[in-house]
Amino acid sequence: SQTIHQWPATLVQPVGSPLSLECTVEGTSNPNLYWYRQAAGRGLQLLFYSVGIGQISSEVPQNLSASRPQDRQFILSSKKLLLSDSGFYLCAGSSAKNIQYFGAGTRLSVL
Amino acid sequence: DQQVKQNSPSLSVQEGRISILNCDYTNSMFDYFLWYKKYPAEGPTFLISISSIKDKNEDGRFTVFLNKSAKHLSLHIVPSQPGDSAVYFCAATGDSGGSNYKLTFGKGTLLTVNP
C-alpha cells in the first residue's frame, strides 16, 4: 500500500510570513492527491485536490495555494499567513479509487 | 450544507461491549462509504468501507452496515477494546462522472472505551 510522507510535524509561524508544506507519496504512481485542514473540534475540510502533475482544483476560497510539480509531490503554500490559517493540515493520496491514505499531519500555529 | 452527519460528538462504552457509531447522509449520489479512525495529532487511518450495492461488510471486529433507504450507516465494533478509543470519521463519495474521488467527511465521533 502507499505511504504518505508529510513534514514538518509542527510549525509555528508569525502572521504575514510565507508557508510551504510538502507531501510526498511512496508505493504508487499517478495518485490523486489531496490537502485537508482540520480545525479544532471540526471535521476534515478538503482544500485542494490534484489528479495529475500541474493539475490543481481548489475547493474553498482561501489564502492558500497548492502545486504539484512532480507525480508524487504535493505542496501547500501561502505568501502571507493569517491567524485564521492555524490548524492541522493533512495530505492524502488515493490510487485505489475511493480509499484515501493520510499522512501524519502538520500542526500549524500562526502567531 | 452538511452532507455527511455524525450526530453524536462522543460515545463512551465499557471494554468488551459493543460500540455502535452512526452516520447519516443526505446526498443520494453517494455510492461508497468509508470509516476512518484518528488518534490525536495523527492522520486518519482507513478502517473499513462499503459499496452501495451491499448492506454489510465485515472485517474482524469491525462491521459496517448500510441502510440506503434511510441514508444511514453504522460501524459496529465488537468487542470494544481500550485501544479503540479515538475519533471515528464517516466519509462518503459518489459517482461525479470524474476521477477526483473526493471524500465528504462527517465531523467525527469521539469513542472512549473504558477498561
Side-chain angles (χ1 to χ4, degrees), chain B residues 57-76:
Chain B
N57 188 25
E58 189 173 354
D59 183 1
R61 295 187 298 115
F62 302 92
T63 303
V64 56
F65 295 91
L66 175 63
N67 182 332
K68 284 179 58 181
S69 61
K71 293 190 175 67
H72 176 83
L73 64 153
S74 60
L75 175 68
H76 291 209

Side-chain angles (χ1 to χ4, degrees), chain A residues 58-108:
Chain A
S58 174
E59 286 294 289
V60 293
Q62 58 198 295
N63 183 43
L64 303 169
S65 62
S67 62
R68 186 170 177 176
Q70 300 180 44
D71 179 47
R72 285 176 280 184
Q73 184 185 29
F74 203 23
I75 298 172
L76 184 68
S77 304
S78 173
K79 291 182 179 177
K80 288 186 178 182
L81 283 169
L82 306 172
L83 287 173
S84 57
D85 292 324
S86 295
F88 190 55
Y89 289 86
L90 289 156
C91 178
S94 171
S95 58
K97 288 197 69 174
N98 298 305
I99 299 174
Q100 293 181 19
Y101 295 93
F102 286 80
T106 295
R107 171 71 59 192
L108 172 65

Side-chain angles (χ1 to χ4, degrees), chain A residues 32 34 36 38 41-44 46 49 51 59 88 90 94 97-105 107, chain B residues 31-32 34 36 38 41-46 49 87 89 93-94 99-103 105-108:
Chain A
N32 286 357
Y34 310 84
Y36 290 87
Q38 182 184 19
R42 305 187 68 175
L44 301 175
L46 179 62
Y49 68 91
V51 300
E59 286 294 289
F88 190 55
L90 289 156
S94 171
K97 288 197 69 174
N98 298 305
I99 299 174
Q100 293 181 19
Y101 295 93
F102 286 80
R107 171 71 59 192
Chain B
D31 61 4
Y32 197 82
L34 308 90
Y36 284 82
K38 184 181 180 302
E42 294 184 10
T45 302
F46 169 71
S49 61
V87 176
F89 288 101
T93 186
S99 60
N100 55 57
Y101 304 123
K102 294 189 293 181
L103 294 179
F105 282 86
K107 291 189 175 182

